[in-house]
Amino acid sequence: MVRRWKRVMAFLIAIIFCINCVMNIGVKGTYAENSNKDSNTEEVHTSAEEKEDTTEIEKETTSKAEKNKSDGDLSVDKNEKTTNKTEDDESKTKAVNNTILDWDTYKSKTTLVTVDDTNKRIYVKTGEALTLLSNCSAENYKDYIISLDSSVTGGAIEIPFTYDGYEFKGLGTKECPFEGNFNIANIKIQSTLFAGLL
């Protein structure tokens, strides 16, 4: 009888142990499920926060893009204004270049040139003076002596192709070539010095 009792007790203990194991597994499984749910919830919360941050970043990016676009539109307007201004300047320059520079106006450029009509001499101080001279009527200076002003020291003078809205056209013309003397030894020029020769 005692043996039977021991067997029953062992059997009950085994059942309790099995139940306990099953319960622990169930508890652990439940705990694991709850943990997963909590981590998923955290991920969901994190994802929502990330989405909010992403949305904020997208808003900022969009507003910056719109600002840059509007700035770009302004710069386009500025470029159009600049282009229009440049075209206006070019048309003014062309209008000026189509007219002959008045001889008296040329002579009044005292900072660039000294003209001695009595001795038929032109003393240039800069290359710009020759650019302007090429826009005067060739009849005014065709038999003058062109020299460097005594105040100019150093090497060569450079004749710019354009100055003050005028282009260098060469001294003299085909109809009225330059017949005077050109006494400037060292010059730098990007075009033909004389437009008409005898």
Side-chain angles (χ1 to χ4, degrees):
M1 175 109 184
V2 174
R3 277 187 174 180
R4 204 169 194 199
W5 179 251
K6 284 185 180 180
R7 282 186 192 163
V8 170
M9 285 299 282
F11 181 72
L12 287 175
I13 290 173
I15 289 176
I16 290 172
F17 182 74
C18 286
I19 290 172
N20 193 18
C21 286
V22 170
M23 292 286 284
N24 280 339
I25 291 173
V27 169
K28 287 180 183 175
T30 304
Y31 179 76
E33 283 179 15
N34 288 341
S35 295
N36 286 339
K37 285 181 183 176
D38 289 344
S39 67
N40 286 342
T41 305
E42 287 174 7
E43 288 175 9
V44 168
H45 290 299
T46 304
S47 296
E49 290 172 5
E50 288 174 357
K51 284 180 184 176
E52 288 174 7
D53 290 344
T54 305
T55 305
E56 288 297 318
I57 291 170
E58 287 174 356
K59 285 179 185 176
E60 289 176 10
T61 306
T62 304
S63 67
K64 285 180 183 176
E66 289 174 357
K67 183 181 180 211
N68 287 341
K69 184 181 176 189
S70 66
D71 289 346
D73 291 343
L74 290 175
S75 67
V76 167
D77 290 342
K78 287 178 186 174
N79 288 341
E80 288 176 1
K81 288 177 184 175
T82 304
T83 304
N84 291 340
K85 185 177 179 183
T86 305
E87 289 172 1
D88 291 341
D89 291 345
E90 285 177 6
S91 64
K92 286 178 186 174
T93 300
K94 287 177 184 175
V96 169
N97 282 333
N98 288 334
T99 60
I100 295 173
L101 181 61
D102 181 62
W103 184 241
D104 290 327
T105 303
Y106 177 74
K107 291 192 293 185
S108 69
K109 302 278 185 183
T110 54
T111 58
L112 302 177
V113 65
T114 303
V115 178
D116 180 358
D117 285 321
T118 307
N119 295 313
K120 294 193 173 186
R121 290 188 163 274
I122 298 172
Y123 299 99
V124 296
K125 297 177 182 178
T126 65
E128 287 82 358
L130 292 173
T131 299
L132 293 175
L133 180 62
S134 74
N135 285 274
C136 294
S137 174
E139 294 170 359
N140 291 316
Y141 63 88
K142 76 174 186 172
D143 54 355
Y144 276 56
I145 299 169
I146 301 173
S147 303
L148 212 58
D149 190 275
S150 60
S151 65
V152 178
T153 58
I157 63 167
E158 187 170 348
I159 301 173
F161 184 70
T162 58
Y163 175 72
D164 199 25
Y166 292 94
E167 292 178 359
F168 184 77
K169 296 180 179 179
L171 300 177
T173 62
K174 192 173 185 179
E175 297 79 24
C176 184
F178 181 70
E179 299 172 2
N181 288 324
F182 191 81
N183 293 337
I184 303 173
N186 297 322
I187 58 170
K188 291 180 184 177
I189 188 168
Q190 298 294 324
S191 62
T192 304
L193 180 59
F194 297 102
L197 295 172
L198 272 178

